[in-house]
Amino acid sequence: MDDRRKARADDAGSRPSLRDSLRRGPGGPCDPASWRSPLRGPWLTSVLAVVLLVGLLVVGLTGFASYAAYDPGLGGSNDQTPERGLLGFYTTFDWFTSPSWLYRVTQGTHVLLGLALVPVVLAKLWSVAPKLFEWPPVRSVAQALERISIFLLVGSILFLLVTGTMNIQYDYAWGFSFYTGHFYAAWVFIAAFAVHVSIKMPTLLRALRSRSFAAEMRTATSQTLPEPPDPDHLVSPDPAPATISRRGALAVVGGSSLGILALTIGQSIDPLRRTALLAPRGQSQGTGPNAFQINTTFADSGLDENATGASWQLRLVGLDGKEVLLRREELLALPQRTEQLPIACVEGWSTSQSWTGVQLRELAGLVGSVGAGSVFVESLQRGGTFSTTSLTDSQLRAPKTLLALRVNGAELSLDHGFPARMIIPACPGVRNTKWVETITFRSAS
Ligand SMILES: Nc1nc2c(c(=O)[nH]1)N[C@H]1C(S)=C(S)[C@@H](COP(=O)(O)O)O[C@H]1N2
Ligand SMILES: [Mo]
């Protein structure tokens, strides 16, 4: 036998049986020895976990608050998740009408913090990567259940981050409702998160106590050594020398989060609007007193300028069906009120301006409907999610709820809703209907 043939025969002899290869796994990322970073270990994972535990709790609570603010009881453009059933148990109360900055703060926090946590989520996944690829995939019933909860946890957080980011960049770029998908995924996440936290809490506390954070922040790369082997096998069995310290790794993650924050926070702070390079929507601005952000321009609305011209009249429909038509001069002759109020879009951007117009309850009085249970507002604009909205009775009676005719001392521009737009305190921007045509007062909501 020549050498080459002999080698081939040996190869055949050493080919592992199916059983052996199943036990050993497919290699690559499923082989623990292929993960060699000396930084990976329970301490680093736990530091990232604490940041996510607090951060994602705040993102979750502000997110669920947003669904309550959309008031499912009202229907129409307010309720995008009609089949929420039991999961919507907490949304049955009327959303608040004060303080007027409420939704601006909750939704701004939800979106800004959610974006800033993306690098931390990715770092956390990196830190537990050997576990995600663990072989064999199932060893016991308990371990199978834990892996299913991890799968739901990782799957739902990635789904939430991707759909949330796409929603603020592209405006509903997929076939299902953003609201419904994001809401259901949030509940999957909360359930898996609760299971994961309760299983891992003892490990987390033990790991955090195992080293001093302050000492770790003083340790240079050359002194960076692996953690002792751990029962979860996060620590590499064959660690390579450190190329970055734990301090350096945490600085990269924290720096990325701060970088994202720096390039988005301007969307919530009027003078800094143009610095929000990562939040491009709503960046177009008008001029003079109307120079603040616009999502839907007059041109986007498909409206004709004739419809908003001298022939425009506001139509009020009372509880008993009584109708009143008002020209713009007649509206301007009613008592005017000026309020500093924000527009706060679900996308996270917000802006505060000084609006002048007629109180909604004043208009309700003209058709004997101050006691109405809800209000239906229709725009001249036809079709689309934003051309109508519903308001609660508390929003109807809130003194700051205006049909605005002017902004910052000037006429509303066409882009900002001329001849008249709704401005409602404390609630999602979507209810601030522009180019209002008809306001109908209804009995029950
Ligand atoms: N008629 C009409 N009103 C509307 C909209 C719209 O597209 N059409 N957009 C709503 C949304 S989603 C928000 S956040 C606020 C502010 O949007 P703007 O920047 O387009 O004024 O107006 C609301 N009013
Ligand atoms: Mo919006």
Side-chain angles (χ1 to χ4, degrees):
M1 221 193 293
D2 69 26
D3 278 359
R4 223 179 298 153
R5 269 176 58 199
K6 185 164 175 291
R8 228 179 290 147
D10 282 356
D11 270 359
S14 66
R15 193 171 292 157
S17 69
L18 181 65
R19 207 146 153 232
D20 279 350
S21 39
L22 273 181
R23 183 156 12 97
R24 229 178 297 147
C30 296
D31 174 3
S34 69
W35 298 97
R36 301 199 56 205
S37 170
L39 266 51
R40 218 178 251 112
W43 184 82
L44 188 68
T45 294
S46 298
V47 170
L48 296 167
V50 169
V51 176
L52 291 180
L53 181 60
V54 178
L56 290 177
L57 210 61
V58 173
V59 174
L61 289 175
T62 49
F64 282 114
S66 192
Y67 282 87
Y70 271 83
D71 243 313
L74 288 169
S77 68
N78 300 291
D79 182 18
Q80 307 280 346
T81 313
E83 306 300 330
R84 66 177 82 196
L86 278 180
L87 298 180
F89 69 92
Y90 73 96
T91 58
T92 47
F93 68 98
D94 269 0
W95 183 247
F96 313 94
T97 54
S98 77
S100 58
W101 43 261
L102 182 65
Y103 190 75
R104 184 177 202 199
V105 169
T106 60
Q107 193 61 8
T109 304
H110 179 72
V111 172
L112 287 173
L113 189 57
L115 288 173
L117 287 177
V118 169
V120 188
V121 169
L122 295 179
K124 174 78 163 56
L125 289 177
W126 172 86
S127 81
V128 297
K131 291 283 287 173
L132 300 179
F133 288 97
E134 204 172 41
W135 195 271
V138 178
R139 253 181 282 117
S140 65
V141 174
Q143 189 239 10
L145 290 176
E146 195 202 330
R147 293 208 82 177
I148 290 172
S149 79
I150 300 281
F151 175 78
L152 293 174
L153 186 72
V154 175
S156 61
I157 192 65
L158 293 179
F159 179 89
L160 288 164
L161 292 176
V162 169
T163 54
T165 307
M166 283 177 70
N167 189 50
I168 62 181
Q169 303 289 343
Y170 302 115
D171 198 17
Y172 320 111
W174 44 75
F176 57 88
S177 160
F178 165 74
Y179 297 87
T180 313
H182 208 69
F183 182 74
Y184 289 158
W187 275 111
V188 172
F189 175 75
I190 288 291
F193 191 64
V195 170
H196 188 61
V197 170
S198 47
I199 292 177
K200 292 295 183 186
M201 193 47 92
T203 313
L204 178 117
L205 295 175
R206 210 178 318 118
L208 288 178
R209 280 195 294 261
S210 74
R211 341 185 120 217
S212 142
F213 187 83
E216 206 58 54
M217 289 305 102
R218 288 192 298 268
T219 307
T221 306
S222 55
Q223 264 84 57
T224 298
L225 299 172
E227 294 181 52
D230 65 313
D232 290 325
H233 306 295
L234 288 180
V235 178
S236 172
D238 180 21
T243 53
I244 188 172
S245 62
R246 290 186 181 82
R247 169 182 66 189
L250 290 176
V252 168
V253 178
S256 308
S257 290
L258 289 179
I260 291 178
L261 202 59
L263 293 178
T264 36
I265 196 160
Q267 71 170 345
S268 306
I269 302 172
D270 286 302
L272 300 182
R273 185 63 189 92
R274 288 188 194 282
T275 64
L277 299 178
L278 295 181
R281 282 179 46 75
Q283 281 226 2
S284 61
Q285 313 254 334
T287 52
N290 278 277
F292 56 95
Q293 49 200 317
I294 304 157
N295 259 5
T296 311
T297 61
F298 186 69
D300 294 336
S301 75
L303 283 172
D304 191 313
E305 268 196 55
N306 293 327
T308 58
S311 65
W312 176 83
Q313 287 188 305
L314 175 71
R315 192 160 69 104
L316 300 175
V317 183
L319 284 171
D320 57 2
K322 175 180 165 191
E323 286 196 17
V324 169
L325 292 171
L326 293 163
R327 290 193 314 275
R328 202 160 186 282
E329 310 85 80
E330 292 171 310
L331 285 168
L332 285 165
L334 292 171
Q336 303 291 300
R337 202 171 154 120
T338 299
E339 296 289 351
Q340 183 77 29
L341 289 173
I343 292 180
C345 183
V346 65
E347 294 166 8
W349 66 261
S350 59
T351 179
S352 177
Q353 306 296 335
S354 170
W355 307 92
T356 302
V358 186
Q359 277 181 328
L360 182 59
R361 64 183 187 193
E362 176 88 23
L363 296 173
L366 297 181
V367 286
S369 302
V370 181
S374 72
V375 185
F376 187 62
V377 181
E378 292 164 90
S379 171
L380 290 167
Q381 193 187 2
R382 294 281 175 260
T385 322
F386 304 131
S387 56
T388 66
T389 197
S390 301
L391 308 176
T392 61
D393 59 342
S394 52
Q395 286 168 334
L396 156 60
R397 285 186 278 278
K400 290 188 178 179
T401 301
L402 302 181
L403 179 73
L405 306 166
R406 301 168 63 78
V407 67
N408 302 323
E411 292 291 2
L412 282 177
S413 66
L414 278 174
D415 284 337
H416 283 303
F418 181 90
R421 86 174 297 170
M422 294 307 309
I423 291 292
I424 298 116
C427 84
V430 63
R431 291 197 197 166
N432 300 320
T433 307
K434 302 199 278 194
W435 314 295
V436 172
E437 181 182 43
T438 304
I439 302 178
T440 307
F441 299 93
R442 294 177 168 172
S443 47
S445 53

